[in-house]
C-alpha cells in the first residue's frame, strides 16, 4: 500500500519471525516494500538485538497500513512487555508457531486475555 493510503484501500499483514517462517509468507505473496523502503516483515535470528525486534513491533503497531501482525511465539517472548501493552484492536497481534518452536497456548497473551474476559482463568 502506498504511503498515505487509507485502510479502506487495503491493509497489510506484517510478520516478525525466523527466516523460514518469513520465507513461507513471502512465497505466499504477503511481502511489501513501500516507496519509503519500509518492509512489512522482520527476519529475526540469534544475532538480532531485542531492541530491533521491539522497535519494529512498535513501528508496525503505529502504521495505518497494517491490520494484522503475526509474530513467532518465541520472538514474542523476547518483547512480551511491549505485546502486553498493545491493547488496540487494529492492528491485531497474533502469535504463531515456528518450525523449531511449537505453539504453547499458556504463553499467548491474546489467548490469556480472551480467557480472562470469558471467565476461564
Amino acid at each position: 500500500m502506498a504511503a498515505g493510503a487509507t485502510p479502506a484501500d487495503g491493509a497489510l499483514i506484517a510478520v516478525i519471525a525466523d527466516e523460514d517462517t518469513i520465507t513461507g509468507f513471502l512465497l505466499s505473496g504477503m511481502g511489501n516494500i513501500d516507496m519509503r523502503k519500509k518492509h512489512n516483515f522482520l527476519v529475526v535470528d540469534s544475532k538480532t538485538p531485542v531492541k530491533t525486534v521491539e522497535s519494529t513491533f512498535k513501528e508496525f503497531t503505529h502504521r495505518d497500513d497494517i491490520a494484522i501482525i503475526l509474530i513467532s511465539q518465541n520472538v514474542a517472548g523476547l518483547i512480551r512487555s511491549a505485546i502486553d501493552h498493545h491493547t488496540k484492536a487494529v492492528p491485531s497481534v497474533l502469535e504463531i508457531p515456528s518450525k523449531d518452536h511449537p505453539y504453547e497456548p499458556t504463553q499467548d497473551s491474546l489467548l490469556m486475555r480472551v480467557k480472562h474476559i470469558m471467565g476461564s482463568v
Side-chain angles (χ1 to χ4, degrees):
M1 191 157 81
T6 64
D9 296 329
L12 299 172
I13 296 174
V15 184
I16 302 173
D18 60 276
E19 185 175 18
D20 289 342
T21 301
I22 296 289
T23 299
F25 279 103
L26 291 176
L27 288 170
S28 75
M30 63 68 58
N32 184 63
I33 301 175
D34 66 16
M35 293 184 307
R36 298 168 293 162
K37 304 290 186 206
K38 294 284 187 174
H39 298 80
N40 64 328
F41 57 91
L42 173 68
V43 176
V44 179
D45 61 22
S46 61
K47 296 176 185 139
T48 307
V50 173
K51 188 174 183 176
T52 300
V53 176
E54 187 168 1
S55 66
T56 300
F57 175 78
K58 288 179 180 178
E59 176 191 332
F60 287 168
T61 62
H62 288 94
R63 284 178 49 178
D64 64 353
D65 62 340
I66 293 179
I68 299 171
I69 300 171
L70 301 177
I71 184 167
S72 292
Q73 195 172 52
N74 62 307
V75 174
L78 300 173
I79 59 166
R80 182 64 57 203
S81 178
I83 290 174
D84 289 344
H85 282 91
H86 176 72
T87 57
K88 296 188 297 183
V90 177
S92 297
V93 178
L94 302 173
E95 295 182 28
I96 60 173
S98 64
K99 183 174 80 172
D100 297 328
H101 299 90
Y103 178 74
E104 179 56 55
T106 61
Q107 300 297 315
D108 190 328
S109 298
L110 179 62
L111 184 60
M112 291 294 108
R113 285 184 204 164
V114 169
K115 283 185 175 184
H116 179 74
I117 291 169
M118 301 300 289
S120 301
V121 175

Short mmCIF file of all heavy atoms in Angstrom, two decimals, residues 4 13 26 36 38 67-68 105:
data_model
loop_
_atom_site.label_atom_id
_atom_site.label_comp_id
_atom_site.label_asym_id
_atom_site.label_seq_id
_atom_site.Cartn_x
_atom_site.Cartn_y
_atom_site.Cartn_z
N GLY A 4 0.40 7.12 2.65
CA GLY A 4 -0.76 7.99 2.62
C GLY A 4 -2.04 7.27 2.25
O GLY A 4 -3.11 7.86 2.26
N ILE A 13 -0.55 -7.51 6.15
CA ILE A 13 -0.18 -8.38 7.26
C ILE A 13 1.31 -8.19 7.44
O ILE A 13 2.07 -8.25 6.47
CB ILE A 13 -0.49 -9.86 6.95
CG1 ILE A 13 -1.99 -10.06 6.79
CG2 ILE A 13 0.08 -10.76 8.05
CD1 ILE A 13 -2.38 -11.46 6.36
N LEU A 26 6.55 -14.83 2.48
CA LEU A 26 6.92 -14.09 1.28
C LEU A 26 6.56 -14.87 0.02
O LEU A 26 6.10 -14.29 -0.98
CB LEU A 26 8.42 -13.77 1.29
CG LEU A 26 8.87 -12.74 2.33
CD1 LEU A 26 10.38 -12.59 2.30
CD2 LEU A 26 8.18 -11.40 2.11
N ARG A 36 8.87 4.37 0.67
CA ARG A 36 9.87 4.82 1.65
C ARG A 36 10.85 3.70 2.01
O ARG A 36 11.62 3.83 2.92
CB ARG A 36 9.17 5.31 2.92
CG ARG A 36 8.27 6.52 2.68
CD ARG A 36 7.39 6.76 3.89
NE ARG A 36 6.47 5.63 3.98
CZ ARG A 36 5.80 5.30 5.05
NH1 ARG A 36 5.93 5.97 6.16
NH2 ARG A 36 4.97 4.27 5.05
N LYS A 38 10.08 0.86 3.34
CA LYS A 38 9.66 0.22 4.59
C LYS A 38 9.09 -1.16 4.27
O LYS A 38 8.23 -1.31 3.42
CB LYS A 38 8.60 1.06 5.30
CG LYS A 38 9.09 2.39 5.80
CD LYS A 38 9.90 2.20 7.03
CE LYS A 38 10.26 3.52 7.66
NZ LYS A 38 10.94 3.35 8.91
N ALA A 67 -2.90 -4.23 9.30
CA ALA A 67 -4.10 -4.66 10.04
C ALA A 67 -3.81 -5.81 11.00
O ALA A 67 -4.48 -5.95 12.02
CB ALA A 67 -5.19 -5.08 9.07
N ILE A 68 -2.83 -6.64 10.66
CA ILE A 68 -2.51 -7.82 11.48
C ILE A 68 -1.00 -7.94 11.58
O ILE A 68 -0.30 -7.79 10.58
CB ILE A 68 -3.09 -9.11 10.86
CG1 ILE A 68 -4.61 -9.04 10.76
CG2 ILE A 68 -2.67 -10.35 11.66
CD1 ILE A 68 -5.23 -10.17 9.96
N PRO A 105 -0.10 -22.57 24.16
CA PRO A 105 -1.23 -21.70 24.49
C PRO A 105 -1.06 -20.90 25.78
O PRO A 105 -1.53 -19.78 25.87
CB PRO A 105 -2.41 -22.68 24.61
CG PRO A 105 -2.00 -23.90 23.90
CD PRO A 105 -0.50 -23.96 23.96
#
